[in-house]
Amino acid sequence: MLNLKILGNKVQKYILTNIAAKIPELVLKGSPFNEIKNIDIIEQIESKSRCRSKLPSWYNTPGILYPNKLNIEQCSSEKTAYYKSTLVSGENLIDITAGFGVDSFYFSKKIKNILSCELDEKLSKISEHNFKTLNTKNIRTKALNGLNFLKKTETIFDWIYIDPSRRGQNNEKKIFIKDCNPDISKHLNLFFEHSQNILIKLSPMVDIQALLKDVSNSKEIHIVAVKNEVKEILVVLKKGFSSETTIKAINLSSEQPNFEFKISNEKKVVLSYKPPEKYLYEPNLAVIKAGAFKILASKFKIGKLGPNTHLYTSSKIKNKFPGKIYNIKDVIPYNKRNLNKIIKGIKANIKSRNFPKSVNEIKEQYKLIDGGDIYLFFTSVYLNRVLLVCTKI
């Protein structure tokens, strides 16, 4: 199963020395160690290199074992795992789909006893070794199907955590909750027999409206982004909860505030749309994914440029906005000939919002160069296409 000789000092030094090496070159060189296969060394190098920024605690701890790179790609980052840990509390939690164990590790900092279940025996053994190496003593690992374990046990947990597999038999990505393994919607009664609280991690591509239909007792949905890239959707289920779900847009590694709302309040808002004024507001992608369009304008008392243009404006600056704020320097009606004279070949940051051309198409058409302090928003103000020339606040 596990070749622990790979943890020897000379092997570990070789792995670290070649962490940025080209894999095809290492394949041709072969293994410099008689008792370790080259494929095993390369697996460690590929996976460890992916952990430098994603899992720095693992990367910087000597003696860590790594699984194949796909397991690293699928696991949570430390930032998102830490955020998940802030949502739970109590004495015991079961992670029924533990994978590489990153979430189990962070849950162990908030909950007294963690049961970490992983069907893949080798992956479970790797996690067990790493938990000891990371000096974590309150995680018990089991190499088994966590769903089957729940069917047999009588234990009641404070929390059940589920990160269902989102890959099909041919490694294709699955988005809908009913296509994941396990299908959580089929097993809710079982989960609630063993806990009052369930936390689910889902693909950032999942449809929020479909999710609410598929899963009952949803107390909260957290759209979690890191540096404005949505990484995962978290669902908090509470047994017996029948009120309306709270949607929370979270942007980690950012000074931007979080934003929360209820869908019924979004639907109630009636807006009149405004032309660009002095300031332009661009919501972060967690807010966009959450669908907080009209309520954002209502809460911050800012105008929306159009029904399908998720950009906002005001004459006076509104601080604590969950996104970026720009000064509008000019509003130019979109006309190909006129724009050729004005912007052709300049250096700028290009944005396309509710506009028929993509950023790449716009760059090619006007021979634009990336960078600089100017931001060009190609967008639609109600029914009219315009170019907004902006600088960042």
Side-chain angles (χ1 to χ4, degrees):
M1 289 286 291
L2 300 180
N3 186 355
L4 296 181
K5 291 180 180 179
I6 210 161
L7 295 172
N9 290 336
K10 290 183 179 180
V11 184
Q12 289 294 300
K13 184 178 180 180
Y14 177 83
I15 289 170
L16 197 56
T17 300
N18 289 280
I19 201 71
K22 295 179 180 178
I23 298 302
E25 292 179 3
L26 294 178
V27 171
L28 291 174
K29 283 182 180 179
S31 173
F33 307 100
N34 293 331
E35 296 176 321
I36 304 172
K37 294 178 181 178
N38 198 37
I39 190 173
D40 293 334
I41 295 175
I42 288 173
E43 180 177 82
Q44 294 298 300
I45 292 171
E46 285 187 310
S47 294
K48 183 179 176 73
S49 66
R50 284 167 165 75
C51 293
R52 189 193 295 266
S53 57
K54 186 175 186 177
L55 303 172
S57 296
W58 277 252
Y59 182 88
N60 293 314
T61 300
I64 291 290
L65 281 172
Y66 297 92
N68 66 65
K69 61 185 179 181
L70 181 61
N71 292 131
I72 301 299
E73 289 170 4
Q74 292 178 340
C75 75
S76 298
S77 68
E78 285 197 57
K79 287 184 174 70
T80 58
Y82 172 79
Y83 179 76
K84 281 192 279 289
S85 74
T86 66
L87 305 180
V88 301
S89 60
E91 292 287 313
N92 60 348
L93 175 149
I94 181 171
D95 181 346
I96 71 167
T97 50
F100 188 47
V102 177
D103 290 318
S104 288
F105 174 78
Y106 273 92
F107 288 139
S108 74
K109 296 178 179 294
K110 294 295 181 74
I111 288 186
K112 189 174 180 180
N113 297 299
I114 306 295
L115 180 57
S116 186
C117 301
E118 171 51 47
L119 182 59
D120 185 320
E121 185 176 357
K122 181 179 179 181
L123 188 54
S124 180
K125 290 290 184 183
I126 288 173
S127 297
E128 183 179 27
H129 165 85
N130 290 340
F131 292 146
K132 291 176 182 176
T133 305
L134 292 163
N135 198 31
T136 303
K137 300 177 181 178
N138 60 331
I139 301 177
R140 186 161 52 102
T141 60
K142 281 187 175 291
L144 46 69
N145 184 310
L147 185 66
N148 290 341
F149 176 82
L150 281 180
K151 291 176 180 177
K152 296 175 182 178
T153 187
E154 295 182 358
T155 305
I156 303 299
F157 298 91
D158 290 310
W159 283 87
I160 295 173
Y161 174 63
I162 313 158
D163 178 5
S165 173
R166 295 180 289 278
R167 296 277 179 172
Q169 292 182 346
N170 298 316
N171 205 34
E172 72 276 15
K173 291 183 180 180
K174 300 292 186 180
I175 296 174
F176 296 105
I177 196 167
K178 290 182 177 180
D179 295 329
C180 296
N181 185 22
D183 175 357
I184 295 162
S185 62
K186 283 185 177 179
H187 301 287
L188 282 178
N189 288 338
L190 171 67
F191 297 143
F192 283 131
E193 284 176 12
H194 292 281
S195 183
Q196 297 278 325
N197 306 290
I198 301 165
L199 177 60
I200 308 164
K201 172 186 169 182
L202 295 171
S203 163
M205 300 299 292
V206 73
D207 182 271
I208 302 299
Q209 298 292 341
L211 175 61
L212 289 169
K213 291 178 182 177
D214 290 339
V215 181
S216 58
N217 307 104
S218 300
K219 183 180 180 183
E220 298 170 354
I221 294 177
H222 299 241
I223 292 90
V224 182
V226 178
K227 294 181 179 178
N228 203 30
E229 181 183 353
V230 179
K231 294 293 187 179
E232 54 193 46
I233 308 295
L234 303 175
V235 189
V236 177
L237 306 183
K238 180 76 174 178
K239 188 174 183 179
F241 184 81
S242 58
S243 299
E244 188 177 359
T245 308
T246 299
I247 313 292
K248 300 189 177 188
I250 312 296
N251 193 16
L252 305 178
S253 298
S254 167
E255 294 181 358
Q256 296 173 11
N258 299 329
F259 187 80
E260 64 179 67
F261 71 105
K262 290 181 168 62
I263 291 174
S264 64
N265 293 333
E266 166 72 13
K267 291 179 178 178
K268 288 176 186 175
V269 176
V270 178
L271 289 183
S272 56
Y273 302 100
K274 289 188 176 182
E277 298 181 309
K278 185 175 181 180
Y279 298 102
L280 183 73
Y281 301 83
E282 180 187 25
N284 66 50
L285 292 183
V287 172
I288 294 295
K289 177 66 182 180
F293 303 134
K294 296 185 294 182
I295 197 168
L296 195 65
S298 175
K299 179 169 182 177
F300 287 92
K301 295 181 172 56
I302 52 182
K304 197 169 187 290
L305 296 189
N308 299 310
T309 302
H310 307 314
L311 294 171
Y312 304 80
T313 191
S314 69
S315 58
K316 294 182 179 180
I317 195 165
K318 307 288 184 175
N319 294 314
K320 297 184 179 179
F321 179 79
K324 297 176 182 177
I325 308 176
Y326 304 83
N327 276 310
I328 299 177
K329 297 297 184 181
D330 202 359
V331 180
I332 305 172
Y334 180 71
N335 180 292
K336 294 179 183 179
R337 289 182 181 179
N338 288 345
L339 287 186
N340 258 322
K341 298 175 184 177
I342 298 170
I343 67 170
K344 188 172 182 179
I346 72 168
K347 190 175 185 179
N349 303 278
I350 314 304
K351 307 264 188 173
S352 176
R353 298 288 185 269
N354 190 24
F355 195 79
K357 291 183 181 293
S358 68
V359 168
N360 287 335
E361 289 172 331
I362 292 168
K363 284 181 184 176
E364 184 176 347
Q365 180 177 351
Y366 296 105
K367 310 302 179 188
L368 299 170
I369 303 167
D370 268 325
D373 299 324
I374 300 297
Y375 289 79
L376 301 181
F377 282 83
F378 289 77
T379 189
S380 301
V381 176
Y382 206 61
L383 298 176
N384 301 310
R385 293 171 187 165
V386 298
L387 169 63
L388 304 179
V389 182
C390 305
T391 56
K392 194 182 286 187
I393 296 293

